[in-house]
Amino acid sequence: MDLHIVAPLASPEERAAIDAVLTPLIGAPASGRAAGERPYEEAHLAHGGHEARSRRDLLLPALHAVQDRIGWVSEPAIGYICRRLTIPPADAHGVASFYALLSTRPLPPTAVHVCDDMACRLAGSERICADLQRALGPEGEPVDEGGATWFRSPCLGRCEQAPAALLTVAGDPARRTGGGPVSGPAILDLLRDGSGARPLGMDDAVDTDGGTSPTEARLARIRRSVPQAGRTGLRLLRRIGTIDPTSLEDFVAAGGYSALRSSIEMGPGAVIDAIVAAGPVGRGGAAFPTGRKWAAVAAAVARPKYVVCDADEAEPGTFKDRALLEEDPFAIVEAMTIAGFATGAERGFIYIRGEYPLGEARMANAIASARSAGFLGADVMGAGLAFDIEVRRGGGAYICGEETALFASIEGYRGEPRNKPPFPVERGLFGGPTVINNVETLANVPWIVLEGSDAYASRGTPGSTGDKLFSVSGHVARPGIYETEFGPTLGEIIDLAGGVRGGRRLRAVLLGGAAGVFVGPDALDMPLTYEHAAEAGATLGAGAIVVLDETADLLDLAARIARFFRDESCGQCIPCRIGTVRQEELLARIRSGRTRGSVQDELALLADLGRAMRDASICGLGRTANEAIASALRLPGVLA
Amino acid sequence: MTAHRDRPPLPGPEPTGSRPTRPDDPPTPLSPIVTDVPAPSPRIPAAPPAPHRPLLDMTIDGRPVAVPAGSTILEACRAEGIDIPTLCQVEALEPAGVCRLCVVDTGGRALTPSCSTPVTEGMDVRTGSERVRHARRLILELIGSAVRMDLAGPELPDGSVAAWMAEYGADPTRFGPPAPPAGPDERDDRHAGHHRAPDGAVAETMAQPVKVDNDYYVRDYSRCILCYKCVDACGAEAQNTFAISVAGRGFDARISTEGNVPLPTSACVYCGNCIAVCPTGALMTRTEFEMREAGTWDAAAQTTTETICGYCGVGCTLSLTVQDERIVRVLSPLGHDITRGNLCVKGRFGYAFVQSRPTDAGEARTG
């Protein structure tokens, strides 16, 4: 490949940001050419082409570095990354323009991303957007040089703090922080202040205290997100709020790494047998048996193998993984190491959505601490086991939660899913056999190893073993993350969260997020297990429960979901790329009353669309993009 | 550099040479030079035998058939004479599986793209069930509602989009009248994950001005279905130039050069291999574009002449489209086992000298 780079040389600041990421990993530019020069003595000489090209997976981290430092990614910056990594600039432009959190247009250093998705919508996010629009102009349009801009954002995974926002301030170091509840005036005060010290919403304090404040104070704050924190009897959440998540010593003192030690004593085969017998299924939404995945990768002949943790938790209404990443990150490191040991993988990746800066920082810290203490690296725990983990940050793309899209994103390509088969256990990350598990799924692993598959399988139901985390938000008294064993009904979970707020009547529940379905009050008696949900034509998804009382505008929420899928479709296949546009237009007509033909005609068209999208789309995004909308319109009284 | 999209390996090239011959070709006389070639030296090993491809038993529309392993479902169906519409499939490139028009029912939860799915033992394929026909109808309606398809089809091997629309009863106007076209480069500037809320009165489309920025070809992305063919042909599958990529996301996805710079500034080398694989006329030579604009492009009056490119020693086969005694377009057969449809800028665009007349260049040029 003969690189043809037309952009002028990147600014010193852009180059410094890029080199800060690339140089530790691939070395300084090997020739003047990589730095954009062509000195005479190198006229017929070029170094590093093949080697650099093999590190295309560093493209996204390098783009993030520029976005973090400057606030947007210029073509010269892309050109410099391309020189360093030997990537065609058109390809890199295609990647940079794929992600919502990267901007290829000039933007001021400061941007506020206001969540206007399900729970935040119910909590008044439109008022915040109106305030910001008045003060800062239309979204994405900076008012003046050096000012700030704002964006609407899909779910930020802070539904229990609704309305929430994400603040990004470019610089060295960049400030990226999420928090809530926020208000328009408070955000504008923060922007005017300029000191960078003011917290964004109440929970932002968690981001800045480094996790080291006294346990009681921490616990009180964490209970705002995890109301059960500190209680006994919890499995998945048992360490949340009770240990310092930045301290490996705390983790080990609280029983950490005993599961890895047991695993090494048991041997890989016995670990996989235990997972298979315990029977957990994937908690990310697809509910595939975890043990079968592990066994398939362990049996695969091809090398190298990979372990990937999908921490791209972007399903609207879902925020459970955020708590695990932020408050018990070592548990994920330990579980990934067990997965690597059991399946014979030596490299792991954890892909964390870009909207979770604290989770990313805590994971990066946990991995570094574990590595320096010998829990990761060439000889884990002195057992001759080699395993290490790299953190990758998503760029604001829901589709990257789809496993094959996530692989493409890590590899430095556009986050587009591919046709399956082949499945990841045969051909996954970098073409190798890959175990890919959700954060919560992995959190089950140490528990299974330590307590045995019988003890695990004795909880829940035969079809849904173990415990589940539910993200409960919307019109409930105590929104938050709740752990229960599988089996309680939807009504019981809502009661656990304090019931419908203000004594109002329940109107509906969005189960499973945007890819889920709306159910009416008649579903309160449905036990929340995979088998019962499937039987009722619903889905648990990743366990999102957005509770809606009689004041909720279901058509508005359905329209928001339609907008979500229009924005988040990767654009690859026709049914999803154009179908998501058409169903948003159709909902706009229903809402405005200017239907084409009767409402029944529109519903028939929506059903036609939904069926084709479900049958013919490449991946789960297109296949489910119609379900929630159609189910909302089916609820009594919505199309009155 | 390989594209990340995983695809099953295509079966190897057919053993017979695929250079097209015309029925009226005289039998090729054997020259003495050819007959005098000595027997192959024993030191040169014979070509390895073609790999044995076992036959797999499967059923297509209830009919039991035996298909060579490694074939795609599409190949198996076409071998059985079953017509399956395709838009994003081109024989010279690996299947992308994105237009979804070729879906068939293999009994799974979703339909299966036949172009990119290899056959398996015992597979039961339905190519014309109500479920399949519904999906194809909606896909045709969706693409027809967003993209100018009037040039897609007439030169496709298996029929035209208009014929498919009729066959499947597709009505692209069901989604409302088309929205006004986007301004120049407006679509290229869209930020992923954000769009202006629609009112539903009109259906958003790909409509936008034609990009005319060089002497060789134009890019009319109003006609683009994002089949990835041009990107694959420009990149790892043929040309290795990587001048274009898909940029943006969702409905705002588009084919773009780096930073949307004009082609003359970009890495483009004007091989035109993207034009050759474009199924909808979104990429078109400047000549064809201007003749169509002027209303002088007349497919019925055109003949095709095959010849060998005279520029270099490779000897690519050229397929000249000739109208009114003038070359109006140069292609290379996609099935050709040397070129696979690819040419370079000279072969594809360097034909002006052929039709240079004395009146064009003065009395010095008489031949």
Side-chain angles (χ1 to χ4, degrees):
Chain A
M1 177 177 23
D2 190 16
L3 277 190
H4 177 96
I5 293 171
V6 298
L9 192 59
S11 73
E13 206 181 356
E14 288 167 330
R15 277 183 285 160
I18 293 161
D19 287 338
V21 171
L22 298 185
T23 301
L25 295 166
I26 61 165
S31 68
R33 184 172 160 74
E37 298 150 10
R38 196 80 190 250
Y40 177 78
E41 59 273 18
E42 287 182 15
H44 297 280
L45 194 69
H47 295 284
H50 197 271
E51 208 176 323
R53 224 175 303 163
S54 69
R55 295 309 308 268
R56 177 152 176 167
D57 62 297
L58 296 176
L59 172 58
L60 186 53
L63 291 168
H64 274 309
V66 180
Q67 178 75 35
D68 280 358
R69 184 78 65 101
I70 312 292
W72 66 288
V73 185
S74 70
E75 285 304 319
I78 290 177
Y80 184 67
I81 295 170
C82 291
R83 286 189 170 101
R84 293 289 318 264
L85 295 174
T86 316
I87 296 171
D91 262 30
H93 174 78
V95 172
S97 58
F98 184 83
Y99 295 100
L101 291 178
L102 300 175
S103 175
T104 53
R105 289 189 309 146
L107 282 184
T110 301
V112 182
H113 303 261
V114 180
C115 179
D116 70 346
D117 219 317
M118 298 294 111
C120 293
R121 225 172 164 68
L122 300 172
S125 58
E126 281 306 309
R127 281 197 302 279
I128 300 173
C129 293
D131 286 348
L132 296 185
Q133 172 129 7
R134 255 193 314 277
L136 301 175
E139 65 165 327
E141 302 289 339
V143 270
D144 53 48
E145 190 74 24
T149 190
W150 72 284
F151 291 97
R152 290 172 181 274
S153 171
C155 183
L156 290 171
R158 294 180 174 274
C159 315
E160 85 283 15
Q161 307 163 10
L166 172 76
L167 173 73
T168 57
V169 185
D172 185 22
R175 181 178 177 205
R176 298 190 309 125
T177 184
V182 294
S183 70
I187 290 174
L188 291 170
D189 281 350
L190 182 150
L191 295 179
R192 272 191 287 269
D193 180 3
S195 70
R198 200 181 279 249
L200 179 75
M202 287 165 72
D203 273 43
D204 195 24
V206 178
D207 292 31
T208 45
D209 74 356
T212 52
S213 61
T215 309
E216 277 312 306
R218 284 184 48 72
L219 199 54
R221 196 166 49 240
I222 287 163
R223 280 198 177 128
R224 286 173 27 79
S225 295
V226 186
Q228 297 166 317
R231 285 201 206 156
T232 53
L234 299 171
R235 263 73 172 185
L236 306 172
L237 298 176
R238 67 194 168 98
R239 276 185 295 262
I240 304 286
T242 64
I243 62 163
D244 173 359
T246 63
S247 161
L248 178 60
E249 291 71 34
D250 265 27
F251 176 71
V252 172
Y257 277 113
S258 49
L260 178 57
R261 186 166 287 115
S262 298
S263 299
I264 292 171
E265 283 161 14
M266 289 160 69
V271 172
I272 289 177
D273 289 347
I275 304 285
V276 171
V281 299
R283 306 295 199 236
F288 187 83
T290 307
R292 266 170 61 194
K293 239 184 223 184
W294 286 32
V297 173
V301 181
R303 297 284 188 284
K305 302 174 182 179
Y306 298 93
V307 172
V308 176
C309 175
D310 183 345
D312 195 48
E313 181 179 56
E315 187 64 58
T318 312
F319 46 97
K320 56 174 180 90
D321 291 343
R322 198 194 80 234
L324 296 174
L325 295 167
E326 291 179 354
E327 299 302 332
D328 201 8
F330 287 101
I332 310 305
V333 176
E334 182 185 7
M336 288 180 71
T337 312
I338 294 173
F341 171 71
T343 59
E346 297 191 345
R347 275 183 85 187
F349 286 84
I350 177 163
Y351 186 92
I352 306 174
R353 68 182 304 210
E355 292 85 348
Y356 283 178
L358 179 63
E360 184 190 333
R362 293 261 165 92
M363 279 307 305
N365 174 71
I367 289 166
S369 306
R371 194 181 290 133
S372 58
F375 287 110
L376 285 175
D379 185 16
V380 174
M381 293 179 87
L385 160 69
F387 189 73
D388 214 329
I389 302 173
E390 291 176 45
V391 176
R392 288 305 151 89
R393 187 204 303 175
Y398 169 73
I399 185 59
C400 291
E402 199 280 345
E403 52 193 11
T404 57
L406 188 152
F407 298 149
S409 182
I410 291 180
E411 290 166 13
Y413 293 89
R414 295 162 52 78
E416 294 171 348
R418 60 159 169 78
N419 288 300
K420 288 183 277 190
F423 291 96
V425 293
E426 306 158 54
R427 299 201 57 185
L429 185 63
F430 302 116
T434 303
V435 168
I436 175 162
N437 287 138
N438 171 264
V439 175
E440 182 191 345
T441 311
L442 286 167
N444 284 275
V445 167
W447 169 21
I448 293 169
V449 169
L450 288 176
E451 295 190 20
S453 48
D454 288 346
Y456 183 91
S458 70
R459 286 177 68 85
T461 64
S464 306
T465 56
D467 282 18
K468 178 81 192 90
L469 298 181
F470 290 100
S471 309
V472 188
S473 65
H475 292 141
V476 287
R478 284 189 304 276
I481 300 156
Y482 291 90
E483 174 179 343
T484 84
E485 65 178 306
F486 277 104
T489 63
L490 175 58
E492 285 164 344
I493 302 281
I494 294 175
D495 288 342
L496 199 57
V500 180
R501 186 154 46 193
R504 291 211 181 89
R505 273 193 320 129
L506 180 76
R507 175 75 195 282
V509 176
L510 175 59
L511 207 53
V517 289
F518 286 94
V519 293
D522 53 321
L524 285 177
D525 295 331
M526 179 176 76
L528 291 183
T529 67
Y530 293 107
E531 59 273 22
H532 287 98
E535 207 174 286
T539 172
L540 287 195
I545 296 176
V546 186
V547 178
L548 308 165
D549 71 19
E550 55 206 345
T551 64
D553 179 351
L554 279 153
L555 267 184
D556 174 67
L557 294 174
R560 178 64 185 95
I561 291 174
R563 172 151 66 89
F564 175 79
F565 283 116
R566 154 70 166 90
D567 277 336
E568 299 299 334
S569 166
C570 80
Q572 233 189 148
C573 68
I574 290 172
C576 178
R577 178 175 79 237
I578 308 177
T580 52
V581 173
R582 296 296 174 249
Q583 66 176 15
E584 191 193 12
E585 290 166 350
L586 190 152
L587 269 174
R589 291 197 294 272
I590 288 182
R591 289 187 73 197
S592 67
R594 289 191 291 271
T595 52
R596 287 176 54 76
S598 67
V599 171
Q600 288 311 313
D601 293 337
E602 296 281 19
L603 290 180
L605 185 57
L606 187 70
D608 266 5
L609 261 178
R611 191 170 164 220
M613 290 164 74
R614 192 161 48 248
D615 276 346
S617 295
I618 291 177
C619 78
L621 188 152
R623 290 180 195 168
T624 57
N626 178 264
E627 307 284 329
I629 295 165
S631 67
L633 301 185
R634 276 197 301 270
L635 286 174
V638 171
L639 290 177
Chain B
M1 162 112 18
T2 51
H4 78 271
R5 272 174 282 134
D6 272 85
R7 292 144 182 170
L10 281 177
E14 294 304 313
T16 52
S18 54
R19 179 187 177 277
T21 51
R22 283 157 296 178
D24 54 345
D25 272 350
T28 315
L30 294 178
S31 78
I33 296 170
V34 174
T35 52
D36 282 347
V37 169
S41 154
R43 289 195 305 155
I44 300 174
H52 176 64
R53 294 168 68 193
L55 294 179
L56 300 180
D57 289 316
M58 58 181 292
T59 45
I60 300 178
D61 293 336
R63 237 186 301 167
V65 292
V67 179
S71 310
T72 63
I73 299 175
L74 181 68
E75 288 164 333
C77 292
R78 287 191 172 158
E80 288 297 302
I82 295 167
D83 178 41
I84 291 182
T86 58
L87 276 174
C88 76
Q89 189 262 350
V90 168
E91 65 177 304
L93 299 174
E94 291 185 38
V98 295
C99 81
R100 315 304 280 185
L101 203 52
C102 73
V103 287
V104 294
D105 196 340
T106 54
R109 271 196 308 183
L111 299 174
T112 305
S114 63
C115 70
S116 61
T117 308
V119 294
T120 54
E121 178 72 29
M123 192 177 245
D124 182 11
V125 175
R126 304 267 152 188
T127 67
S129 67
E130 192 275 333
R131 193 177 173 208
V132 167
R133 291 185 61 87
H134 175 87
R136 288 189 191 153
R137 171 167 68 91
L138 263 291
I139 290 165
L140 287 167
E141 287 177 344
L142 287 170
I143 200 72
S145 71
V147 182
R148 276 187 73 183
M149 297 295 283
D150 53 321
L151 291 183
E155 287 161 293
L156 290 176
D158 300 296
S160 75
V161 171
W164 295 333
M165 293 262 187
E167 185 193 336
Y168 288 91
D171 172 14
T173 64
R174 290 169 88 201
F175 305 103
D185 291 333
E186 189 259 305
R187 284 186 59 86
D188 296 283
D189 209 26
R190 294 190 183 168
H191 187 115
H194 298 273
H195 71 279
R196 206 172 296 145
D199 65 5
V202 291
E204 196 181 354
T205 72
M206 293 283 281
Q208 58 193 298
V210 183
K211 290 182 195 290
V212 185
D213 56 12
N214 68 87
D215 290 340
Y216 295 114
Y217 68 103
V218 303
R219 297 174 291 155
D220 182 0
Y221 290 130
S222 302
R223 301 177 186 279
C224 177
I225 59 166
L226 283 173
C227 66
Y228 292 67
K229 295 295 99 175
C230 56
V231 176
D232 291 346
C234 184
E237 287 189 40
Q239 184 62 28
N240 276 286
T241 290
F242 299 94
I244 48 173
S245 171
V246 180
R249 192 167 83 194
F251 192 76
D252 302 328
R254 63 265 174 185
I255 307 296
S256 177
T257 57
E258 63 260 43
N260 189 35
V261 297
L263 277 183
T265 321
S266 78
C268 177
V269 297
Y270 300 99
C271 63
N273 293 330
C274 53
I275 309 172
V277 294
C278 179
T280 60
L283 301 175
M284 193 181 277
T285 66
R286 186 85 182 252
T287 308
E288 179 176 345
F289 173 71
E290 285 172 357
M291 288 176 73
R292 284 185 186 275
E293 291 285 290
T296 56
W297 183 266
D298 182 4
Q302 290 167 356
T303 56
T304 301
T305 303
E306 295 211 341
T307 182
I308 301 294
C309 179
Y311 274 109
C312 80
V314 174
C316 297
T317 299
L318 301 183
S319 181
L320 311 176
T321 307
V322 179
Q323 179 182 332
D324 303 331
E325 302 286 303
R326 290 180 77 87
I327 299 169
V328 293
R329 182 174 61 187
V330 179
L331 298 169
S332 184
L334 289 177
H336 193 283
D337 49 9
I338 303 293
T339 70
R340 293 174 68 83
N342 297 307
L343 293 172
C344 72
V345 60
K346 292 178 284 186
R348 198 174 300 277
F349 294 109
Y351 57 80
F353 73 93
V354 177
Q355 44 217 30
S356 173
R357 297 286 191 274
T359 48
D360 293 340
E363 74 281 359
R365 305 285 291 273
T366 54

